[in-house]
């Protein structure tokens, strides 16, 4: 079984879907591994390290994909008109492709038409046995860490209280909005740096998690918010009335903050606006807002996705794209292990190939296409009665 790993070509994407560590383990399973030359360089992995691990380093996309039975990607492959190389047309029919594959009805139909067995890892069900395969959690964890580091770099004072002979500098007031995986890591990192941390989340269960990390809880609670969490651990969209009440509480708090980090995402939807232009205007000059939800439109009304801006009142808003890609070495290592774990879980040792039972809960949640048809429950065409 030939396993191919391509260089990522989408803008701002610096990660790679395999590391020398995972290459060795794939070879131990009986695979031959082909890595496109230069695929690991943005993550700090030279071709020589892949070669030393036993991989074949190939010169281009066509050579990498030639005869491949498994294709590993970070992001969806480029199609016609999207870049200099049409990666999609070069993937062999019947190949299993895994990555964060842009799971839309249109993309699923394209994969099916091309005969690609496409597995969108971002749709992995959030169940206990799937935790070690969960790319969203592993990448969000590092995004939360990186957001605090970016905030520290942009902030014109220190995070901790600094007592010097010349006087004392107060600790930074840090407010984290959203206490999912990214938010909790942001809280923990800001605390390690010595910040005075508070946080909010619409899910009632998050209140204790916030407090357990030593942060103060800020927020509006109601009967509606008690029902906000889905079985998969995500937050559901709430009513306009709830968000209005939450905004009142948050607005008073934000005005006193030095650093605000927003992390709120709703699966499959545009990110909710948590910080209005009026809230930004209430903040002190030199304050910093880091919007991790920028790829989904942003939680801040003034965020410009992909940009670092300074408002008229001197507030810095950081809305970079692809937050995991800003810590590419670590995020590549975790993403690669997520993919390795998925494949080894469903690996047939005798056939030396993956065996994906369609009735398995994980397989059912991940697979977009099989045998030239769209099979994912949320994307498959409705059958005629």
């Amino acid at each position: 079984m030939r396993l191919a790993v391509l260089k990522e070509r989408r803008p701002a994407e610096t990660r790679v879907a395999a590391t020398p560590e995972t290459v060795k383990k794939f070879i131990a399973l009986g695979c031959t591994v082909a890595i496109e030359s230069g695929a690991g360089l943005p993550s700090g992995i030279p071709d020589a390290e892949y070669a030393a691990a036993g991989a074949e380093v190939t010169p281009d996309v066509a050579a990498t994909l030639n005869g491949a039975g498994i294709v590993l990607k970070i992001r969806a492959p480029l199609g016609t008109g999207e870049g200099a190389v049409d990666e999609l047309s070069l993937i062999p029919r019947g190949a299993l492709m895994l990555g964060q594959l842009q799971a839309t009805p249109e993309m699923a139909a394209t994969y099916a038409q091309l005969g690609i067995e496409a597995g969108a890892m971002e749709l992995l069900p959030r169940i206990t046995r799937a935790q070690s395969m969960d790319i969203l959690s592993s990448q969000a964890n590092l995004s939360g860490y990186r957001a605090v580091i970016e905030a520290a770099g942009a902030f014109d004072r220190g995070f901790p209280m600094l007592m010097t002979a010349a006087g004392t500098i107060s600790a930074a007031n840090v407010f984290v909005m959203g206490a999912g995986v990214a938010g909790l890591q942001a809280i923990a990192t800001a605390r390690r740096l010595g910040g005075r941390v508070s946080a909010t989340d619409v899910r009632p269960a998050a209140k204790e998690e916030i407090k357990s990390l030593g942060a103060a809880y800020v927020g509006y609670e109601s009967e509606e918010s008690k029902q906000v969490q889905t079985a998969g651990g995500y937050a559901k969209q709430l009513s306009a009335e709830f968000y209005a009440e939450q905004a009142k509480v948050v607005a008073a708090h934000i005005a006193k903050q030095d650093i605000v980090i927003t992390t709120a995402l709703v699966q499959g939807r545009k990110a909710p606006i948590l910080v209005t232009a009026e809230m930004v205007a209430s903040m002190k000059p030199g304050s910093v807002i880091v919007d991790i939800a920028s790829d989904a439109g942003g939680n801040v009304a003034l965020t410009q996705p992909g940009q670092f801006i300074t408002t008229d009142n001197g507030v810095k808003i950081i809305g970079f794209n692809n937050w995991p890609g800003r810590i590419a070495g670590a995020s590549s290592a975790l993403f690669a292990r997520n993919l390795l774990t998925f494949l080894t879980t469903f690996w047939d040792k005798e056939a030396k190939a993956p065996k994906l039972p369609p009735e398995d809960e994980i397989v059912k949640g991940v697979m977009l296409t099989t045998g030239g048809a769209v099979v994912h429950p949320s994307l498959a065409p409705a059958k005629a009665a």
Side-chain angles (χ1 to χ4, degrees):
M1 178 68 68
R2 181 177 173 88
L3 184 148
V5 180
L6 297 182
K7 182 192 301 182
E8 298 294 324
R9 291 177 167 80
R10 291 191 179 273
E13 188 51 76
T14 55
R15 294 170 291 173
V16 64
T19 62
E21 173 200 10
T22 62
V23 164
K24 289 178 183 177
K25 291 181 179 178
F26 282 126
I27 291 172
L29 291 175
C31 294
T32 58
V33 179
I35 305 279
E36 186 181 357
S37 180
L41 280 178
S43 299
I45 309 171
D47 290 347
E49 290 190 20
Y50 285 116
E56 173 193 354
V57 178
T58 48
D60 54 35
V61 176
T64 309
L65 291 173
N66 185 32
I70 301 172
V71 179
L72 301 185
K73 290 279 290 145
I74 297 289
R75 305 271 299 283
L78 297 173
T80 305
E82 289 188 281
V85 180
D86 181 359
E87 297 170 318
L88 267 172
S89 66
L90 295 171
I91 297 173
R93 292 188 72 87
L96 171 64
M97 178 173 64
L98 298 174
Q100 192 164 343
L101 298 185
Q102 199 174 325
T104 63
E106 295 76 19
M107 284 304 299
T110 299
Y111 297 142
Q113 183 183 4
L114 294 171
I116 299 169
E117 310 280 302
M121 295 296 290
E122 69 269 29
L123 300 182
L124 189 85
R126 288 198 156 176
I127 56 176
T128 301
R129 60 185 277 257
Q131 285 179 346
S132 57
M133 315 171 195
D134 189 347
I135 63 166
L136 294 184
S137 290
S138 73
Q139 303 304 286
N141 194 309
L142 292 168
S143 296
Y145 165 81
R146 185 67 192 191
V148 177
I149 300 305
E150 295 284 356
F155 189 47
D156 55 15
R157 300 203 313 273
F159 261 64
M161 181 175 70
L162 300 172
M163 300 179 70
T164 75
T168 299
I169 297 174
S170 299
N173 291 313
V174 183
F175 183 40
V176 179
M177 303 184 73
V181 174
L184 292 174
Q185 181 59 252
I187 291 168
T189 304
R191 288 271 296 157
R192 289 188 201 107
L193 290 180
R196 189 184 295 115
V197 185
S198 58
T200 188
D201 194 287
V202 295
R203 296 168 299 130
K207 183 175 182 178
E208 294 308 315
E209 293 177 316
I210 289 168
K211 290 184 174 181
S212 73
L213 291 173
Y217 175 77
V218 175
Y220 171 71
E221 298 177 82
S222 70
E223 286 301 316
E224 183 183 6
S225 67
K226 293 178 182 177
Q227 310 300 322
V228 69
Q229 187 163 317
T230 68
Y234 297 99
K236 293 188 289 190
Q237 193 82 12
L238 292 171
S239 68
E241 292 76 13
F242 176 88
Y243 285 120
E245 292 299 326
Q246 173 79 348
K248 289 178 187 176
V249 175
V250 167
H253 191 67
I254 278 183
K256 305 169 188 173
Q257 302 307 301
D258 298 304
I259 293 166
V260 175
I261 297 172
T262 66
T263 71
L265 292 168
V266 178
Q267 191 180 30
R269 292 174 179 257
K270 184 180 181 299
I273 295 296
L274 304 181
V275 181
T276 65
E278 291 75 19
M279 293 178 190
V280 176
S282 75
M283 297 178 72
K284 296 169 287 188
S287 301
V288 178
I289 302 175
V290 181
D291 193 342
I292 298 181
S294 50
D295 281 326
N299 294 143
V300 184
L302 300 182
T303 291
Q304 294 182 21
Q307 303 295 317
F308 182 137
I309 67 168
T310 303
T311 66
D312 292 342
N313 65 313
V315 176
K316 302 168 186 175
I317 302 178
I318 305 174
F320 295 142
N321 292 328
N322 188 17
W323 282 94
R326 301 191 72 80
I327 181 168
S331 55
S332 294
L334 296 187
F335 197 108
R337 288 175 199 157
N338 292 147
L339 296 181
L340 173 69
T341 303
F342 178 85
L343 284 169
T344 54
T345 299
F346 298 104
W347 195 258
D348 186 324
K349 293 181 180 178
E350 292 185 5
K352 294 183 179 179
K355 184 177 181 180
L356 302 172
E359 70 281 0
D360 186 278
E361 188 176 3
I362 293 175
V363 175
K364 193 181 297 183
V366 166
M367 294 305 294
L368 299 178
T369 56
T370 302
V374 178
V375 296
H376 196 277
S378 66
L379 299 174
K383 295 181 180 180

